[in-house]
Amino acid sequence: MKNKTLTILLFLNLIFTALIGLYLYQNNTLEVDFSDDILKVRGLVVVDSLGVERVILGAPLPPPQMHGYRFDRGENSEVSGVMLYDSEGQERSGYVTDNDYGNVFFTLDSKTSQRVLFVAEPQGTATLRMWGKNGNQVEIGSGDEGSWIRARKNGEDFNLLNK
Amino acid sequence: MKISMLTNLCLLAFLMIGCEQQIKLKEAKQTAINPLSYTDVIYMGSVDTVLASTFDGRISEIINHTDGEKVRVITRIDDEIYSLAYNREQQQIYATTLHSGILVIDAQRGEVLSSLEVKNKWAPYLSYNEEHQILMTADYGNNIYVWKVSEGFNEMPVPDDLAGMSPKGFSGDMKLYFDGNRQMGIWNLYDNNQIEKVDAVGNITALDQKGLVLFLHGDQFRLYDTASDSIVIQKRHPDWPIYVASRDTVFRAPVSLSLTAGAFAKNLVLTSGIDRSIRVWNKDTGEMIDEFLGHRATVSAMDVSAGEDQLVSVDLKGGIRFWNLDSNR
């Protein structure tokens, strides 16, 4: 009787061990497929081969860095959205909403400052601004009180919609 | 016997359930930094030995060697580091960080000894005077901190006239130099704490013994002479030397890019920028007399050795270079 029980237990053990082995073998390389799922995250980071963060999708986005230090965007200036960074890690472009006033921005930056700003304000005013060096700039906008195209070239201001 | 069998079956069942594969995602942060970037570099020894910091919290001792640089990581903290100062007498490193204030670190063991708190957010720069053992910084909440290191980091009260400015340097005659609000502020510690302010746009990056102040402003550097209260030299890098790796040659674009760091050495002014070059200028005439090419990224910081015969520079892609400064220029 005792031998029979031990034989049954041994047999069961072998079956379960084989099943466990089979299960582990099948799950050795696990492929995760989210193609039919919705991902809910606070942030996504794309890094290059050197580990430099090149694209961040986040809410909120981290403050930018400038040539060796991080600077503050200012009070109530947190933004959320997508940000692009160059190979040195510098913030160069963003497509974001701010977390306070309600603007939506698209920006293109040089390595030191913002050069293009396309913004829609919450009340409806839309503006495109482009900056060059030495104070040169162009601004195109439209709001409740009208539309405008303004430029500053070498210190001289031009209003291109005078009528 | 039945109990024994049931127990065995239960154990096997638990084992099977326990074998279910758990998927754990690796924890990650969104930092918007390049972990390779050097943020600051300062001389530790008289020549050839420097301290360098990175965005990802490393402080390393780097020794210039004919076979290449020898790197020893002194410490690695779980924070970002922006600026360094070194107290040779006490062998302490001071480091500005994002979350931990100003860290005081034992340079030999790498142990964090204490932290000097900043009230608002973080402080990007640090300035230290070895002779008088005064450590200075300002945070993004416009709070200025001046600590007397020799008196247990006793914080000195800062005059209200300097509000909104940042401490950037210290001259031998006990004057602290500040910039901000499109002005330069000079706080004279000897002369009844008098404050002198002059209009000057830019960031102070260096002071010399003759009272010259080196400002960086966009793509320009300016030499301000405190004796004559005037800007005596104002220059830009004349071009942008772009290294073309496929041809191993340098193409020069006729544009001036923004400057990032500057220093004095004897009769020289040294400036670096996002054009990845370092230019060497005659301090008296403003003539550009040499250039150092070799960095493959924006030069983020540089420092001159105590004897002013060697320059070290670091960049945002983890490059470090030592340059000899020929005194016969």
Side-chain angles (χ1 to χ4, degrees):
Chain A
M1 184 65 183
K2 196 176 178 182
N3 279 344
K4 193 178 176 184
T5 308
L6 283 172
T7 307
I8 291 168
L9 278 174
L10 182 65
F11 183 68
L12 284 171
N13 257 326
L14 282 171
I15 289 173
F16 281 118
T17 307
L19 286 173
I20 290 167
L22 187 67
Y23 177 81
L24 289 174
Y25 176 75
Q26 283 182 333
N27 290 284
N28 190 27
T29 50
L30 188 67
E31 189 176 272
V32 182
D33 183 4
F34 293 126
S35 60
D36 202 29
D37 291 317
I38 293 168
L39 290 178
K40 193 170 183 177
V41 295
R42 287 290 299 276
L44 281 175
V45 182
V46 178
V47 295
D48 65 17
S49 60
L50 297 173
V52 183
E53 296 177 12
R54 303 297 296 273
V55 184
I56 296 182
L57 197 156
L61 287 157
Q65 54 106 338
M66 171 78 79
H67 312 141
Y69 63 93
R70 195 183 284 281
F71 68 88
D72 185 28
R73 288 189 206 277
E75 292 300 323
N76 302 317
S77 300
E78 278 194 336
V79 294
S80 299
V82 187
M83 205 70 87
L84 304 186
Y85 303 84
D86 68 17
S87 63
E88 292 183 348
Q90 295 226 243
E91 184 179 303
R92 299 298 298 275
S93 179
Y95 182 33
V96 300
T97 54
D98 68 50
N99 289 2
D100 187 42
Y101 183 65
N103 285 338
V104 57
F105 307 89
F106 172 68
T107 63
L108 300 171
D109 306 342
S110 74
K111 285 183 84 68
T112 52
S113 60
Q114 196 171 77
R115 291 302 180 190
V116 176
L117 170 66
F118 204 177
V119 55
E121 297 182 46
Q123 82 280 16
T125 301
T127 311
L128 170 63
R129 286 195 195 120
M130 289 171 278
W131 292 269
K133 288 177 82 174
N134 304 324
N136 295 330
Q137 63 171 290
V138 175
E139 181 178 314
I140 302 170
S142 187
D144 290 348
E145 294 173 3
S147 300
W148 62 93
I149 301 176
R150 290 193 284 253
R152 177 176 294 161
K153 184 181 173 186
N154 299 327
E156 194 177 351
D157 290 323
F158 298 91
N159 190 342
L160 304 176
L161 277 186
N162 290 323
K163 291 179 183 175
Chain B
M1 190 56 67
K2 281 183 182 174
I3 292 171
S4 169
M5 275 187 72
L6 278 172
T7 309
N8 266 323
L9 285 170
C10 285
L11 282 171
L12 280 167
F14 280 124
L15 186 64
M16 289 291 286
I17 292 165
C19 283
E20 188 183 349
Q21 195 160 14
Q22 299 287 323
I23 299 167
K24 192 179 175 188
L25 292 175
K26 186 182 172 186
E27 276 189 36
K29 291 179 189 171
Q30 48 178 26
T31 60
I33 58 162
N34 177 353
L36 298 174
S37 293
Y38 280 121
T39 53
D40 201 5
V41 65
I42 53 170
Y43 272 90
M44 192 181 191
S46 56
V47 73
D48 284 332
T49 306
V50 297
L51 290 168
S53 58
T54 58
F55 263 128
D56 68 348
R58 269 179 296 135
I59 298 176
S60 305
E61 178 190 62
I62 302 175
I63 299 170
N64 184 29
H65 198 270
T66 48
D67 302 338
E69 289 82 30
K70 308 283 181 197
V71 180
R72 177 178 74 91
V73 176
I74 291 174
T75 190
R76 182 165 205 154
I77 60 164
D78 187 21
D79 206 338
E80 296 175 10
I81 298 176
Y82 309 127
S83 186
L84 294 174
Y86 183 55
N87 182 335
R88 284 182 179 82
E89 194 179 309
Q90 298 184 30
Q91 296 196 328
Q92 287 178 346
I93 302 165
Y94 310 121
T96 59
T97 65
L98 179 61
H99 299 296
S100 316
I102 315 300
L103 292 181
V104 180
I105 298 163
D106 184 300
Q108 295 306 311
R109 290 175 289 142
E111 183 188 347
V112 176
L113 302 172
S114 61
S115 171
L116 306 169
E117 192 181 342
V118 296
K119 292 171 193 150
N120 199 317
K121 296 174 182 169
W122 63 93
Y125 305 109
L126 199 57
S127 183
Y128 177 64
N129 179 269
E130 190 153 13
E131 187 184 352
H132 299 282
Q133 298 213 335
I134 287 180
L135 185 68
M136 307 186 291
T137 191
D139 66 21
Y140 274 108
N142 290 329
N143 300 299
I144 300 168
Y145 308 86
V146 180
W147 292 286
K148 285 186 176 174
V149 174
S150 54
E151 295 176 13
F153 295 98
N154 185 26
E155 193 176 335
M156 292 170 62
V158 179
D160 292 339
D161 289 354
L162 295 168
M165 305 185 93
S166 299
K168 291 292 179 65
F170 196 107
S171 64
D173 51 356
M174 288 290 277
K175 288 179 180 172
L176 309 187
Y177 284 73
F178 292 72
D179 64 25
N181 305 333
R182 302 177 73 82
Q183 287 184 313
M184 174 172 67
I186 303 171
W187 178 14
N188 192 334
L189 294 181
Y190 266 154
D191 190 8
N192 292 324
N193 284 335
Q194 253 194 345
I195 305 288
E196 182 189 343
K197 280 186 176 178
V198 292
D199 291 336
V201 181
N203 297 314
I204 296 173
T205 55
L207 304 165
D208 82 347
Q209 303 298 323
K210 296 177 185 170
L212 283 178
V213 184
L214 175 59
F215 281 92
L216 299 186
H217 179 59
D219 59 5
Q220 282 187 341
F221 79 86
R222 295 165 181 170
L223 280 191
Y224 186 91
D225 184 6
T226 52
S228 62
D229 272 343
S230 61
I231 292 170
V232 290
I233 291 171
Q234 186 166 304
K235 293 278 183 176
R236 293 182 170 92
H237 285 198
D239 52 26
W240 176 15
I242 304 167
Y243 177 68
V244 184
S246 58
R247 294 180 192 172
D248 192 25
T249 187
V250 173
F251 165 75
R252 290 180 183 272
V255 291
S256 303
L257 304 189
S258 290
L259 304 179
T260 53
F264 287 121
K266 292 179 180 169
N267 62 329
L268 306 174
V269 180
L270 303 144
T271 56
S272 66
I274 61 177
D275 64 10
R276 307 173 177 189
S277 74
I278 296 166
R279 310 296 173 110
V280 184
W281 312 80
N282 183 301
K283 197 197 285 184
D284 302 318
T285 64
E287 181 194 0
M288 197 184 94
I289 51 178
D290 204 352
E291 62 182 6
F292 298 148
L293 307 179
H295 279 287
R296 298 287 174 257
T298 297
V299 179
S300 50
M302 55 188 192
D303 194 23
V304 173
S305 65
E308 301 190 351
D309 52 359
Q310 191 183 65
L311 173 76
V312 61
S313 54
V314 291
D315 69 40
L316 292 180
K317 286 189 177 175
I320 181 165
R321 296 276 191 283
F322 290 85
W323 314 92
N324 284 323
L325 299 174
D326 182 357
S327 58
N328 297 321
R329 285 176 204 280

